[in-house]
Amino acid sequence: MEKFSADPVAFLKFLDSVGVERAGLISYVSPDVIGYTAEASDWNARYCAASPERLIAFGSVHPKYVTDAGAEVDRLARIGIRALKVHPAHQLFAPNAYRDGFGPLAAVYERAQAIGLPVMIHTGTSIFPGVRNAYAQPMLADDLGVDYPELVVILAHGGRPLWMDEAFFLVRRHPNMYLDVSGIPPQKLLEYFPRLEEIAEKALFGTDWPGPGVPEVRGNIEKFLALPLSEKSQRKILYDNAARLFPPRLK
Ligand SMILES: [Zn+2]
């Protein structure tokens, strides 16, 4: 990992070796729980600039730690961030806290919606010390579909391992809400989402590599391909949906 962190070219070679054309690289700001500062977004943008056509930089705005959250969204877009990650359980606010007066969070969603930046929301439990799992429930993101209907919202990890039904419901309810299956062992994916095929148009493959419990990228792809899904659905989930949401951007 240290080698890849220091050298995007080495990472691109790794992607070649596992048959992956493009990757979303996730970063987020969580000074309280994990220790990631606002520099995480800038670092990620710089890293992905090595190959904007293949590396999709996710950044984040912690609305409690910036003076103008909306302006920070604009700044991130300018430096090459293609999507925002919100990690409610690690950032210690509910994804719909703007309804209880957390104005800077509304500013993040408003700007992201206005400039077409997708927002990925972490859903599902985490066991890191200090985490607040009550914020990790997918249903808290229902309000986003109501209040920001044009905002593309990606529900990361599909609420695993407790709230898959909520995530599935939300993806079906809201036209711009998507399911990300990263962090779910692919061989269990249809146990988690028995009706995955019905939302194949709105599901995105991901691995969560190099997160804990994700052994390897290629193995995950192979396990996914072994699932009894139609070839068409597999292609949508592995490729087409992401290509549509993140059109390749050339240098
Ligand atoms: Zn996550």
Side-chain angles (χ1 to χ4, degrees):
M1 283 322 300
E2 281 177 11
K3 187 179 93 183
F4 292 148
S5 299
D7 181 7
V9 174
F11 179 62
L12 289 164
K13 276 192 194 137
F14 164 73
L15 291 182
D16 288 337
S17 75
V18 292
V20 173
E21 186 176 319
R22 300 176 69 206
L25 277 64
I26 318 293
S27 72
Y28 59 91
V29 179
S30 169
D32 309 296
V33 175
I34 310 284
Y36 301 145
T37 65
E39 288 159 47
S41 300
D42 294 79
W43 189 93
N44 205 22
R46 268 198 311 278
Y47 187 90
C48 292
S51 181
E53 63 276 26
R54 296 187 65 188
L55 304 178
I56 305 162
F58 284 60
S60 114
V61 177
H62 196 309
K64 269 186 206 154
Y65 291 96
V66 285
T67 45
D68 185 338
E72 176 67 356
V73 173
D74 288 334
R75 187 187 74 82
L76 293 185
R78 273 200 308 275
I79 65 170
I81 293 292
R82 301 283 308 267
L84 300 177
K85 169 114 182 187
V86 175
H87 200 314
H90 289 182
Q91 294 181 314
L92 306 181
F93 56 79
N96 62 347
Y98 63 89
R99 296 203 72 229
D100 299 317
F102 191 19
L105 182 59
V108 170
Y109 296 142
E110 268 158 30
R111 280 318 292 160
Q113 177 174 255
I115 62 177
L117 221 55
V119 171
M120 172 181 265
I121 305 214
H122 177 103
T123 62
T125 55
S126 161
I127 53 168
F128 206 80
V131 161
R132 304 284 175 184
N133 280 308
Y135 297 145
Q137 238 177 300
M139 195 54 81
L140 296 169
D142 182 48
D143 287 322
L144 273 71
V146 176
D147 298 323
Y148 305 97
E150 302 302 320
L151 180 67
V152 169
V153 173
I154 302 166
L155 299 173
H157 325 303
R160 63 99 186 90
L162 302 179
W163 302 302
M164 288 77 76
D165 292 353
E166 290 184 18
F168 183 76
F169 166 80
L170 292 176
V171 169
R172 290 188 7 116
R173 177 181 185 207
H174 298 295
N176 284 316
M177 223 169 257
Y178 288 78
L179 177 80
D180 152 78
V181 303
S182 74
I184 301 169
Q187 66 276 21
K188 296 216 165 187
L189 190 53
L190 289 175
E191 269 170 54
Y192 279 50
F193 292 97
R195 294 164 64 193
L196 181 65
E197 196 112 34
E198 286 175 43
I199 53 164
E201 209 67 59
K202 297 177 79 189
L204 303 163
F205 182 82
T207 58
D208 218 18
W209 184 88
V214 183
E216 44 153 354
V217 174
R218 188 66 223 170
N220 267 27
I221 295 169
E222 270 154 22
K223 283 177 202 148
F224 176 81
L225 286 169
L227 293 172
L229 291 166
S230 72
E231 221 180 295
K232 217 171 151 195
S233 296
Q234 286 182 338
R235 193 188 155 83
K236 284 177 185 168
I237 296 169
L238 279 172
Y239 197 102
D240 295 341
N241 298 338
R244 196 170 68 241
L245 284 185
F246 299 98
R249 182 186 278 178
L250 303 175
K251 262 187 211 183

